[in-house]
Amino acid sequence: MKKTLTIVLTLMLLLTAHTVLAARRRVVKPIDPQKELKDKLNRYFISYSVSSQKLRNRSKLTTLSISDSLRTIDISADTHFGEQVFTPETVSEIYDAVRALLPDSIIGYQMSIKTGGWTLEQLVPNRLRLTEDKTRTWGDIDYKGRPWVSNVSLPYTISNGLNNRHLCVWASHGSYFHTRDSVWKWQRPALFGTREDLFTQTIVVPYLIPMLEKAGAVVFTPRERDWQRNEFIVDNDTPESGYQETRGQHRWHHADSAGFAFHPGVYVDHENPFEQGTSRQTEVTNNPESESTIIWRPAITEAGRYAVYVSYQTVENSIDDAHYTVWHQGVSTEFRVNQQMGGRTWVYLGTFDFDAGSSARNCVILSNQSRHHHGVVTADAVRFGGGMGNIRRGYTTSGLPRALEGSRYYAQWAGMPYSVYSTKNGEDDYGDDINARSYMANLLGGGSVYMPDTTGRGVPLELSLAIHSDAGYTRDGQTHTGTLSICTTYLNDSILYSGLSRLVSRDLADELLVSVSNDMAKHYGSWPTRELYDRNYSESRCPGIPSAILETMSHQNFWDMRYGQDPNFRFDMARSIYKAILRYVSRMHHTRYVVSPLAPTHVRAELTGTGQVKVSWKSTKDADESTAEPTGYIVYTAIGKNGFDNGTYVKGKNTSLTIDIEPELLYSFKVTAVNDGGESFPTEVVSAYESPGAQKTILIVNGFHRLASPAVRNNSAEQGFDLEMDAGVTYGRTAGWLGYQISFDKTQMGKETRSGLGFTNDSLMGQFIAGNDFNYVRTHAEAIATAKRYNIASCSSEALETNDIHPTQYQMMDLILGLEKNDGWALRQYQAFSPMMRQHLKLFTSRGGALLVSGSYIGSDMNMPAERRYLEDILKISYEGVNTDSLRRDTIEGLGKTFEFYRHLNETHYAATHPEVLQPVAPAYPAMVYADGYSASVAYDGKDYKAMTMGFPFECIKDEQKRCSLMRGILRFLLQTN
């Protein structure tokens, strides 16, 4: 019994001791005296919203620190709070709202609110600050030397644009080699006819880069920019390629350093083409009679547009004005290249039209003439065209044009070290591609005034911008996701290579985000301003200069792509980005800026009757930019088969230029507007021709201006783009199409599988599809001129519709309608026959004028009963639908000839994929028939007037000789009497 009692007492003592010990170990959390205030602040940040932005992430309080001794309050919100655009007003409102939550005992303390390690005051961009933050401008840092490349043939100067600014700009992703699966892949999903890898190029390549260059900038892009699958390299190591030297006072000899050498076949990892050959050099001269030259004359197999790249060595005594001349279709354009920077890589001069073959009309010449009395000029290979990818990964190349590949492969082809294009030791091309973009910029810019503490090639790059599109979608399928921007401010001690604060990158991201969102909303209605991310992205972290990423829109959201696939939207998007860059760069340097003007309109070329042609146009007002007023114009001229010259400057408000012409030579013209900020895009081409003794003059009218996305499907069940119905019209050639969308099911929105909304096949992969080149007046005029018996004048349909030109003065009108139509989905209005156009044609024919009309939508664009009657009364045609030849043959017979036309999407010429069947209305008759026997053209041989109407565009006839012969037959019918 005693033993039992002892055991019980022992157990009770042990339990008591354990309880006491546990109580001692238990930490009693003290009451937080700031909890109530923290809760208030946290609720404030959670509920905080910005009406001007679409912020998806709610914020929260992270820390609160109150010092009674210092009488300070430090509040930190999470990084999501910093995703808004801060203005002095919003910062003041935030401080007032937070102070109102404080207890009276501390309301007078000095308060600081931070997010992402920065105070809200610091996050107000310089563009909005009353007192500028000098650590966020270049200040005294500026590049004063000669530009890397300058076109000295320009007939104007730029003083308040981006002159002598060197920028690095690129379009997101490209095809890459997936090492684990040992296959080439795209980086983003196949949606809505494209991929991000292709889509962002359609903003950057045809629009943004040219805008920046026309504003005076030198633009480097770490991806191939030329949408040209052909490539021709002429090099001193292979003289048979078209290389030739001439010797004056100084002979050419090998330079001490290695140079480029080309070998057939593929290039493998670690292989640097700029270390496999030799380069040449000689001393300079300032005496033209003793110059030494090098000529690079390619043997081009296919006529077309080709980018021209030169290469050279930067050596101790390199000059800053190496004199290059590019001969393109018999016209010369001169450049000065600063060889004191950027050697051992491809240096872009420009893109030009070249003929097929090998001749002095198409070549590049380097002279050793210089303004310097001493120094050397060096020379290496010259490259024509973008070419096909030739970097082998695994056991194969991509099989795609180089322009569609990622930066990793272009970097290797451009002579970058392995450490630049392969930071992942060849094991992760995806990561290599992302990093190579920035590392190329750093290597080229290293040692310049903007990156003085790094070793590189001295190119004064001062800004880096990546253009992307984003994932994500809106569930209603009828709203935009909008635009987002990204910067990185908190890494590398928050300092760039120049010593500037990384907040300069936030200022850039802020400028882009606000400008683009505001401009798109102004032009197209609602366009959300999304977040301004401050995050660790390679493209915003790695550059040693101010940098940003712009997520233009969402490639996964149909309603964004509904706009993004429209070329007019792309132009507006690119112009907004260009203006944001212009404002930002000007602010960084404290300089005045002028926005370049918009292209003129209503262009026309009229014969004066005195051996001259008068070219006229109208200026275009930019309602958004007061500085974008033209102060002059450039008229570019092409004679015969030659290329366009470097232009004639027309000063001030003059909107016409009278030019002496030689008989029996065809003259073609295009016009741009210029001011101190740069040059606009060109007008369409117009032409004129004078035939000695001609009794009749033909007026060619261009009515083909349409730019549009593919056909839009958007109903309760479907969304997307139907390229089979209508592939749309791009501005010139495009690399933007992957294939045909095959899934339109709205219930599958957001899925990236084959059944997901927008899923696209790859049937067009690797193709550059031709679009509207705006030069079809020249094509028609060339054909008419072969008759050698008619004068030719021409105009835009705009000039005709506003009565700037009077067709009744002419004996024949050739109306070009191409793919013009009111499609119902283009973001701008087009119409084959506007009401004013119909009136002019009616008046013209009532006075006996002969009429030639050709186009692909002449009948289908006239749907109303009154419009159909008009076609019957004036053109004598009845629209019978689209020619649906089951074999989709592209042959037509008529006027004693059989010829082919561009019926299928291709890289050479825009395609008339839906030619029309036009039946004659008596007494008219069929003049041409398709391969299946249906009427392709109608001829009216009336006593009152004559007319011929073609259900396909005349300019789509493939063979030039047959096209000219056919035109002569049409002219005999329309203008010659028995």
Side-chain angles (χ1 to χ4, degrees):
M1 182 66 178
K2 287 182 178 182
K3 187 177 181 180
T4 302
L5 182 59
T6 300
I7 294 173
V8 171
L9 289 173
T10 301
L11 290 173
M12 290 178 64
L13 287 171
L14 289 172
L15 288 172
T16 302
H18 178 76
T19 303
V20 172
L21 183 60
R24 288 177 178 173
R25 290 177 176 174
R26 187 183 304 124
V27 177
V28 179
K29 189 175 182 180
I31 298 174
D32 185 355
Q34 298 177 358
K35 183 178 186 306
E36 183 178 355
L37 178 56
K38 286 181 178 179
D39 288 342
K40 285 183 179 181
L41 292 173
N42 196 46
R43 285 194 296 270
Y44 168 77
F45 287 117
I46 290 174
S47 62
Y48 182 85
S49 64
V50 181
S51 60
S52 60
Q53 280 183 268
K54 184 180 179 181
L55 303 177
R56 295 165 295 175
N57 300 306
R58 293 193 176 275
S59 304
K60 64 181 180 180
L61 176 73
T62 55
T63 62
L64 169 65
S65 177
I66 301 174
S67 173
D68 292 321
S69 60
L70 298 176
R71 297 179 61 81
T72 58
I73 306 171
D74 293 317
I75 299 170
S76 291
D78 65 5
T79 55
H80 293 316
F81 195 67
E83 292 169 358
Q84 64 181 297
V85 172
F86 289 101
T87 68
E89 294 75 20
T90 57
V91 171
S92 179
E93 291 169 2
I94 292 168
Y95 271 87
D96 289 344
V98 170
R99 193 171 293 280
L101 300 175
L102 302 180
D104 293 342
S105 59
I106 61 172
I107 200 168
Y109 285 14
Q110 182 178 346
M111 183 168 61
S112 170
I113 304 177
K114 292 184 176 181
T115 175
W118 303 101
T119 65
L120 302 192
E121 295 90 338
Q122 289 176 302
L123 297 182
V124 175
N126 255 351
R127 67 183 177 87
L128 299 176
R129 300 170 73 90
L130 296 177
T131 303
E132 182 182 72
D133 181 351
K134 296 185 185 299
T135 68
R136 289 151 70 170
T137 69
W138 289 118
D140 295 332
I141 300 174
D142 199 1
Y143 174 68
K144 302 294 186 180
R146 286 183 170 240
W148 193 8
V149 177
S150 57
N151 180 346
V152 296
S153 293
L154 294 177
Y156 62 93
T157 57
I158 300 171
S159 56
N160 296 107
L162 292 167
N163 39 298
N164 212 7
R165 302 300 176 202
H166 296 70
L167 312 175
C168 185
V169 179
W170 64 82
S172 62
H173 307 280
S175 176
Y176 79 104
F177 183 74
H178 192 277
T179 54
R180 185 181 62 191
D181 296 340
S182 194
V183 295
W184 286 83
K185 291 184 176 182
W186 296 101
Q187 298 188 33
R188 293 297 183 264
L191 294 169
F192 300 119
T194 187
R195 296 179 186 268
E196 183 190 353
D197 311 64
L198 305 173
F199 169 68
T200 53
Q201 286 195 64
T202 65
I203 298 172
V204 172
V205 173
Y207 297 116
L208 178 56
I209 289 179
M211 287 177 186
L212 296 170
E213 291 174 335
K214 289 175 183 293
V218 178
V219 179
F220 168 75
T221 184
R223 292 184 64 183
E224 174 60 58
R225 67 164 68 190
D226 190 16
W227 290 345
Q228 169 63 258
R229 66 177 59 254
N230 294 318
E231 178 182 47
F232 304 96
I233 296 175
V234 183
D235 183 29
N236 63 286
D237 291 305
T238 53
E240 66 277 9
S241 62
Y243 179 88
Q244 179 183 351
E245 295 179 356
T246 69
R247 177 179 174 178
Q249 180 182 355
H250 303 293
R251 68 178 182 86
W252 295 95
H253 57 87
H254 280 316
D256 292 335
S257 54
F260 177 89
F262 173 77
H263 68 69
V266 300
Y267 287 73
V268 298
D269 233 19
H270 294 279
E271 190 175 5
N272 189 331
F274 280 85
E275 294 178 351
Q276 297 181 337
T278 63
S279 58
R280 306 287 282 171
Q281 75 175 54
T282 192
E283 296 178 39
V284 300
T285 181
N286 55 13
N287 182 358
E289 296 182 359
S290 62
E291 71 171 347
S292 300
T293 65
I294 294 178
I295 304 170
W296 293 267
R297 185 177 298 163
I300 294 177
T301 58
E302 182 180 0
R305 289 186 64 77
Y306 291 83
V308 174
Y309 299 87
V310 300
S311 61
Y312 53 86
Q313 302 295 313
T314 296
V315 297
E316 183 177 355
N317 295 315
S318 286
I319 58 173
D320 62 2
D321 64 341
H323 182 187
Y324 290 87
T325 302
V326 179
W327 285 89
H328 47 102
Q329 293 186 329
V331 174
S332 65
T333 301
E334 297 186 42
F335 294 87
R336 296 292 187 273
V337 175
N338 188 341
Q339 291 193 346
Q340 295 173 354
M341 63 176 75
R344 290 181 291 150
T345 191
W346 297 119
V347 180
Y348 175 77
L349 297 187
T351 300
F352 307 91
D353 291 305
F354 290 98
D355 297 325
S358 176
S359 74
R361 285 171 49 86
N362 301 276
C363 66
V364 173
I365 300 176
L366 171 64
S367 167
N368 69 333
Q369 283 193 67
S370 170
R371 66 190 177 101
H372 298 284
H373 295 287
H374 303 284
V376 298
V377 59
T378 63
D380 204 343
V382 171
R383 178 164 69 95
F384 301 80
M388 298 293 291
N390 61 348
I391 306 300
R392 190 186 77 188
R393 299 291 289 134
Y395 299 99
T396 181
T397 63
S398 69
L400 294 170
R402 187 175 289 117
L404 306 186
E405 294 181 340
S407 296
R408 183 197 198 276
Y409 316 105
Y410 180 74
Q412 182 176 355
W413 184 233
M416 296 295 109
Y418 191 72
S419 59
V420 167
Y421 69 81
S422 185
T423 57
K424 307 292 184 180
N425 296 317
E427 298 176 356
D428 178 10
D429 283 21
Y430 182 92
D432 285 342
D433 177 47
I434 293 173
N435 291 331
R437 307 164 198 169
S438 303
Y439 290 172
M440 286 182 76
N442 288 345
L443 177 68
L444 288 173
S448 73
V449 294
Y450 302 114
M451 289 190 262
D453 295 333
T454 60
T455 301
R457 300 184 183 177
V459 180
L461 297 171
E462 61 177 278
L463 178 148
S464 171
L465 176 61
I467 303 297
H468 285 251
S469 58
D470 203 1
Y473 60 96
T474 57
R475 295 188 180 277
D476 62 3
Q478 303 292 332
T479 52
H480 299 292
T481 59
T483 297
L484 174 148
S485 65
I486 303 169
C487 64
T488 306
T489 69
Y490 55 87
L491 296 175
N492 303 325
D493 297 323
S494 297
I495 299 296
L496 295 175
Y497 291 174
S498 60
L500 267 62
S501 166
R502 278 186 168 267
L503 286 173
V504 294
S505 292
R506 181 174 174 109
D507 283 0
L508 174 59
D510 174 282
E511 182 79 63
L512 289 162
L513 177 64
V514 173
S515 296
V516 170
S517 299
N518 287 348
D519 286 347
M520 296 305 99
K522 185 182 300 181
H523 287 279
Y524 298 99
S526 174
W527 188 266
T529 305
R530 293 175 60 195
E531 297 88 353
L532 197 170
Y533 284 158
D534 189 346
R535 297 187 177 181
N536 184 4
Y537 285 78
S538 170
E539 292 166 295
S540 56
R541 177 191 75 244
C542 293
I545 48 180
S547 58
I549 301 170
L550 186 71
E551 301 279 3
T552 53
M553 64 190 73
S554 172
H555 53 255
Q556 196 177 20
N557 188 49
F558 166 74
W559 206 246
D560 281 358
M561 296 303 288
R562 164 80 175 80
Y563 285 63
Q565 293 288 33
D566 191 295
N568 287 305
F569 180 89
R570 294 172 186 167
F571 176 93
D572 290 337
M573 170 71 74
R575 184 165 170 86
S576 182
I577 298 170
Y578 142 68
K579 291 188 297 183
I581 292 173
L582 173 66
R583 286 191 290 266
Y584 175 82
V585 170
S586 299
R587 191 176 299 109
M588 289 286 290
H589 289 282
H590 303 98
T591 56
R592 175 177 170 267
Y593 71 83
V594 173
V595 175
S596 60
L598 294 171
T601 58
H602 297 73
V603 64
R604 54 199 185 276
E606 302 169 273
L607 297 172
T608 65
T610 58
Q612 295 178 317
V613 59
K614 182 179 181 181
V615 183
S616 307
W617 59 89
K618 288 184 177 180
S619 65
T620 302
K621 184 175 181 59
D622 187 339
D624 298 331
E625 295 293 338
S626 60
T627 67
E629 286 292 321
T631 56
Y633 301 90
I634 308 297
V635 177
Y636 294 92
T637 304
I639 303 175
K641 290 290 188 180
N642 285 349
F644 280 96
D645 65 12
N646 296 293
T648 300
Y649 181 70
V650 180
K651 185 178 181 180
K653 301 295 184 181
N654 294 322
T655 55
S656 66
L657 176 67
T658 301
I659 300 172
D660 294 332
I661 60 173
E662 296 291 329
E664 296 188 318
L665 282 177
L666 179 66
Y667 289 76
S668 297
F669 311 94
K670 57 185 178 181
V671 185
T672 62
V674 294
N675 60 18
D676 289 341
E679 183 180 17
S680 74
F681 275 40
T683 64
E684 63 209 274
V685 174
V686 291
S687 299
Y689 176 85
E690 188 172 72
S691 180
Q695 301 297 310
K696 296 178 181 180
T697 303
I698 298 169
L699 176 66
I700 306 174
V701 179
N702 178 41
F704 177 26
H705 301 109
R706 178 171 168 245
L707 297 171
S709 74
V712 172
R713 284 198 213 173
N714 184 31
N715 52 54
S716 60
E718 295 181 314
Q719 278 187 335
F721 301 96
D722 189 342
L723 276 77
E724 288 280 6
M725 177 181 172
D726 188 331
V729 188
T730 60
Y731 181 72
R733 177 183 283 194
T734 184
W737 298 123
L738 174 69
Y740 293 84
Q741 181 176 337
I742 59 176
S743 177
F744 294 83
D745 187 353
K746 288 176 68 174
T747 65
Q748 302 300 302
M749 189 182 299
K751 296 181 180 180
E752 295 182 6
T753 60
R754 289 187 61 85
S755 62
L757 175 64
F759 183 82
T760 296
N761 65 30
D762 61 0
S763 57
L764 300 176
M765 185 173 69
Q767 297 185 46
F768 302 126
I769 304 301
N772 190 347
D773 290 328
F774 292 88
N775 64 353
Y776 306 113
V777 164
R778 188 179 186 182
T779 303
H780 283 234
E782 286 174 340
I784 294 171
T786 62
K788 297 185 177 181
R789 59 185 304 171
Y790 306 106
N791 295 329
I792 301 171
S794 59
C795 69
S796 167
S797 60
E798 300 166 327
L800 182 64
E801 291 165 349
T802 54
N803 297 310
D804 294 313
I805 199 165
H806 303 289
T808 53
Q809 300 174 359
Y810 301 90
Q811 287 71 49
M812 174 183 157
M813 187 191 305
D814 175 4
L815 177 58
I816 302 170
L817 292 178
L819 301 180
E820 197 81 354
K821 70 172 178 177
N822 181 9
D823 55 34
W825 61 80
L827 298 179
R828 296 190 184 177
Q829 184 70 39
Y830 302 98
Q831 191 173 10
F833 296 99
S834 69
M836 185 59 71
M837 175 66 74
R838 294 201 292 267
Q839 290 184 31
H840 275 295
L841 295 183
K842 186 174 182 180
L843 178 62
F844 183 72
T845 54
S846 71
R847 297 188 178 184
L851 188 62
L852 170 63
V853 182
S854 65
S856 206
Y857 301 109
I858 290 172
S860 58
D861 205 38
M862 300 281 277
N863 293 308
M864 303 301 291
E867 294 173 336
R868 292 295 171 89
R869 287 195 298 271
Y870 179 90
L871 293 179
E872 294 173 359
D873 293 342
I874 304 301
L875 299 183
K876 310 302 181 184
I877 63 171
S878 172
Y879 171 58
E880 298 298 326
V882 174
N883 177 251
T884 56
D885 177 13
S886 60
L887 300 177
R888 292 181 61 80
R889 288 168 288 188
D890 56 2
T891 56
I892 296 175
E893 292 184 9
L895 279 68
K897 295 176 176 53
T898 300
F899 55 89
E900 297 178 346
F901 72 107
Y902 290 104
R903 181 171 188 155
H904 309 281
L905 297 180
N906 66 91
E907 300 189 355
T908 304
H909 195 282
Y910 82 83
T913 57
H914 293 79
E916 293 186 331
V917 175
L918 304 178
Q919 292 292 352
V921 173
Y925 56 88
M928 305 175 196
V929 294
Y930 296 110
D932 57 4
Y934 284 95
S935 174
S937 177
V938 171
Y940 172 62
D941 188 11
K943 295 182 178 179
D944 46 355
Y945 66 93
K946 295 184 179 183
M948 181 169 290
T949 307
M950 301 166 63
F952 62 96
F954 172 81
E955 61 273 14
C956 282
I957 298 172
K958 291 182 179 180
D959 186 270
E960 181 180 4
Q961 289 186 344
K962 289 187 177 181
R963 189 168 62 241
C964 292
S965 177
L966 189 68
M967 178 60 82
R968 291 194 295 271
I970 293 171
L971 296 176
R972 283 193 295 271
F973 167 74
L974 291 174
L975 291 176
Q976 297 179 32
T977 56
N978 294 327

